[in-house]
Amino acid sequence: MFITFEGGEGAGKSIQASLLKDFFISSGIDAILTREPGGTLFAEEIRKTLLTGEPEKIPPLTEALMYLAARADHWERRIKPALNAGKVVISDRFHDSSIVYQGFCKGVDINVLNTVYSSITNDNMPDRTYLIDIEPEIGLARSLARNNSETRFEKMDISFHRKVREAFLDLSRKYADRYLVLDGSLPISEVQKLIRADLSDFLRSS
Ligand code: TYD
């Protein structure tokens, strides 16, 4: 099973993904937690370039191709082998982030993004995607309070982050069969409970 977490900055994806992985492991199910951009040595190198410096540092199409290059390595060397070995793979962000950030918000042709994606993954899609939705003002404040150096996207203005939120909500409606939207202002344990309940429904029905 392939599970992804999506959402704007500071929504709480990472903590939810990590709690979910712990839950699988403690239930005796082999699971890995990974992230994008990143997840392999090469992709983590690309991550550093993508997430540091000024917003205008990398033009949109170049940026999109870098995310896709990182994704190709991540898919080939980490995700595909783990899925083939029967593990549950949980990724903190995946291709939907490229559709939203580079496609909807920075104007890169979504057909180009999806064509490259298809050839990377042979059209494999996540089984479940959890969108943690939060007011951009709250998410950004949380994210900046973390005090890390990966702030290239946090430096975009609030209207960009509002667009990100709307674009994710649009995607969740378009792919309603695999998406569940969760309210990121709820307590962490509440959100986790909803995710686990959803997964048990999903497993029962598949
Ligand atoms: P991340 O650490 O996931 O963000 P946060 O934890 O603050 O939500 O950082 C990833 C950043 O990269 C985030 O700003 C979204 C952006 N991104 C894209 O623009 N396109 C992509 O394809 C991916 C995977 C991420």
Side-chain angles (χ1 to χ4, degrees):
M1 181 159 50
F2 183 28
I3 300 168
T4 58
F5 282 81
E6 298 284 2
E9 318 316 302
K13 300 175 303 304
S14 308
I15 181 75
Q16 295 300 338
S18 159
L19 289 170
L20 187 62
K21 187 218 164 184
D22 294 346
F23 173 69
F24 278 117
I25 299 293
S26 65
S27 314
I29 297 166
D30 205 354
I32 66 161
L33 172 60
T34 187
R35 68 174 180 180
E36 287 212 347
T40 63
L41 276 177
F42 173 66
E44 290 287 333
E45 286 296 317
I46 298 178
R47 178 184 178 95
K48 274 183 219 144
T49 308
L50 281 167
L51 301 189
T52 57
E54 294 309 307
E56 304 73 31
K57 180 174 89 169
I58 313 170
L61 180 58
T62 310
E63 179 178 291
L65 294 171
M66 290 175 73
Y67 277 107
L68 287 162
R71 184 159 305 126
D73 197 60
H74 188 209
W75 179 264
E76 211 43 50
R77 296 201 210 186
R78 184 118 193 252
I79 300 178
K80 191 166 79 174
L83 291 173
N84 287 343
K87 296 180 188 179
V88 172
V89 175
I90 302 167
S91 189
D92 184 352
R93 295 195 184 276
F94 194 58
H95 186 63
D96 291 344
S97 281
S98 292
I99 304 289
V100 164
Y101 286 81
Q102 283 68 49
F104 282 114
C105 297
K106 295 195 177 191
V108 176
D109 184 343
I110 289 172
N111 292 321
V112 170
L113 301 175
N114 284 336
T115 301
V116 179
Y117 177 80
S118 295
S119 86
I120 294 171
T121 62
N122 204 11
D123 278 328
N124 266 287
M125 300 296 276
D127 297 297
R128 294 303 283 155
T129 298
Y130 296 108
L131 171 59
I132 319 280
D133 177 59
I134 189 107
E135 293 270 349
E137 286 85 351
I138 300 174
L140 275 176
R142 283 184 188 170
S143 185
L144 290 167
R146 265 185 236 144
N147 188 30
N148 74 25
S149 57
E150 293 180 338
T151 53
R152 189 168 153 255
F153 280 80
E154 277 82 352
K155 288 177 191 156
M156 300 292 288
D157 65 29
I158 191 74
S159 62
F160 179 86
H161 295 285
R162 290 202 184 105
K163 243 173 149 179
V164 166
R165 183 187 197 190
E166 289 313 312
F168 271 126
L169 289 169
D170 278 354
L171 269 195
S172 75
R173 288 185 282 266
K174 182 165 178 202
Y175 299 114
D177 51 337
R178 76 173 156 93
Y179 257 89
L180 179 67
V181 182
L182 296 142
D183 177 354
S185 67
L186 291 173
I188 289 172
S189 59
E190 273 307 302
V191 175
Q192 184 65 198
K193 226 187 260 171
L194 293 168
I195 292 169
R196 290 180 193 178
D198 173 78
L199 273 173
S200 83
D201 286 350
F202 173 76
L203 290 172
R204 219 172 297 126
S205 66
S206 57

